[in-house]
Amino acid sequence: MQTDVLKIGTRGSALALAQASETRARLMAAHGMAEEAFEIVVISTSGDRIQDRPLSEAGGKGLFTKELEEALFDGRIDIAVHSSKDMPTVLPDGLELSVFLEREDVRDAFIGRASAKLADLPQGAVVGSSSLRRQALIRRLRPDIKVVTFRGNVQTRLRKLENGEVEGTLLAHAGLKRLALGHVITELLPVELFPPAPGQGAICVESRIGDDRVKAVLDPIGHLATAQALACERAFLAALDGSCRTPIAGHAVVEGERLAFRGMILTPDGREVHEIEAEGPVADAARLGADAGARVRDKAGPGFFDGWS
């Protein structure tokens, strides 16, 4: 193995840095190498800088990846570490998601100020979330609740909650665990009631196609079952042309050689919901996800996405 320093690109938020550090730690352990063999390079992205409006209005998921991908192309970094749920389904030519780290808990966490449980919030309470999926699921469960767009990193959102701007907010359990903030959670929402975003809880690594040196470094830290589950979830998303504008949930579970998937699409007000399930061999993960996406789209009908996509 070469001794060149491997440059790990990441966004600058505390969570992004925690994910980059976890990736570095796994690489160090896999290869018996010192921390100095891996350099974390912080790159500011458009998604971090734009805080005054929803991502769906600013340009979608690509806002968190564009600058990191530019750095991959020009050689400033060798790999980019991302939250899988932030990744568009189509990547720029020449780049790939090379490995997925073993997935964390996929559940959403509720952090309540007025009440410990989402279901127990007072009538008309205000809840903050930047995710259209979470907003739609909240409205589905509690149509009386006022949901407001809540941008910013984890610490910013928790500070807004503490300052009384809202009565509650939702964040990924995985992210809170990685930041050692599990103690702030007042309720973990079951996946049956509150299914996660495709890719939620999984860290992925993006690299240049054909870079054999980087591939050799990354291969030992890849987690096969996570990669199989995400192949299904991302194919589901791609079949629905999923973006930040569409409330979509999807979760695949791998057990041995079998995969079980459940997907959901909602209107932003949460009033119309269509669910789909699929099961089959893990070898068919991507096909199962794509078929589930096509079937739920047919189920919803041609007008479902009109006017809000």
Side-chain angles (χ1 to χ4, degrees):
M1 176 156 165
Q2 293 190 20
T3 55
D4 296 349
V5 172
L6 187 92
K7 292 186 164 61
I8 303 170
T10 177
R11 294 161 55 198
S13 71
L15 179 55
L17 290 168
Q19 293 181 159
S21 296
E22 181 178 334
T23 303
R24 178 175 63 184
R26 287 175 185 256
L27 287 167
M28 288 164 56
H31 297 287
M33 297 181 73
E35 190 173 295
E36 293 71 34
F38 307 95
E39 179 188 353
I40 291 177
V41 179
V42 175
I43 293 172
S44 174
T45 70
S46 308
D48 296 310
R49 292 191 294 271
I50 297 170
Q51 295 291 327
D52 60 344
R53 57 196 189 278
L55 282 181
S56 55
E57 295 175 10
K61 291 185 177 185
L63 292 171
F64 286 130
T65 60
K66 179 174 170 284
E67 287 85 355
L68 284 160
E69 289 169 341
E70 288 170 355
L72 277 172
F73 280 125
D74 66 25
R76 279 177 288 150
I77 59 175
D78 298 302
I79 63 173
V81 177
H82 305 282
S83 295
S84 296
K85 69 182 176 67
D86 289 340
M87 295 305 292
T89 53
V90 178
L91 301 182
D93 288 343
L95 299 181
E96 64 181 351
L97 297 185
S98 17
V99 295
F100 295 89
L101 305 191
E102 185 172 0
R103 194 174 210 170
E104 249 293 357
D105 191 329
V106 302
R107 288 176 293 177
D108 281 309
F110 177 67
I111 303 104
R113 193 174 58 86
S115 168
K117 294 191 173 184
L118 179 63
D120 295 341
L121 281 173
Q123 191 84 2
V126 181
V127 173
S129 174
S130 62
S131 156
L132 287 191
R133 173 190 59 87
R134 289 177 182 142
Q135 291 178 1
L137 286 168
I138 292 166
R139 290 176 177 128
R140 180 192 184 202
L141 296 172
R142 288 286 306 270
D144 62 292
I145 284 178
K146 182 183 178 186
V147 185
V148 296
T149 298
F150 217 45
R151 290 293 314 284
N153 61 35
V154 170
Q155 288 79 3
T156 300
R157 295 185 210 187
L158 291 176
R159 191 163 55 248
K160 287 179 178 179
L161 174 66
E162 198 174 311
N163 291 342
E165 292 184 31
V166 293
E167 272 80 58
T169 189
L170 283 84
L171 293 163
H173 185 205
L176 290 168
K177 284 180 77 173
R178 289 184 179 118
L179 289 169
L181 287 171
H183 60 278
V184 305
I185 298 168
T186 58
E187 180 186 21
L188 283 171
L189 298 164
V191 292
E192 298 78 20
L193 197 66
F194 220 91
Q200 185 156 311
I203 296 169
C204 65
V205 180
E206 188 177 20
S207 63
R208 295 178 289 270
I209 294 172
D211 191 328
D212 293 337
R213 173 206 165 217
V214 166
K215 180 174 170 31
V217 176
L218 292 176
D219 277 351
I221 68 167
H223 189 254
L224 180 58
T226 300
Q228 291 165 331
L230 265 69
C232 179
E233 293 172 20
R234 286 176 60 77
F236 176 72
L237 200 59
L240 293 165
D241 192 26
S243 71
C244 283
R245 297 178 178 84
T246 53
I248 297 172
H251 181 218
V253 177
V254 173
E255 289 188 9
E257 295 302 310
R258 303 290 293 177
L259 178 146
F261 173 78
R262 177 181 171 229
M264 178 188 287
I265 58 175
L266 309 89
T267 50
D269 60 11
R271 289 179 183 172
E272 188 178 348
V273 179
H274 297 279
E275 297 184 66
I276 201 81
E277 292 186 1
E279 187 185 345
V282 290
D284 294 338
R287 182 188 61 78
L288 288 166
D291 287 353
R295 284 192 289 125
V296 81
R297 182 184 276 279
D298 289 344
K299 198 173 174 182
F304 182 79
F305 294 96
D306 293 353
W308 55 271
S309 60

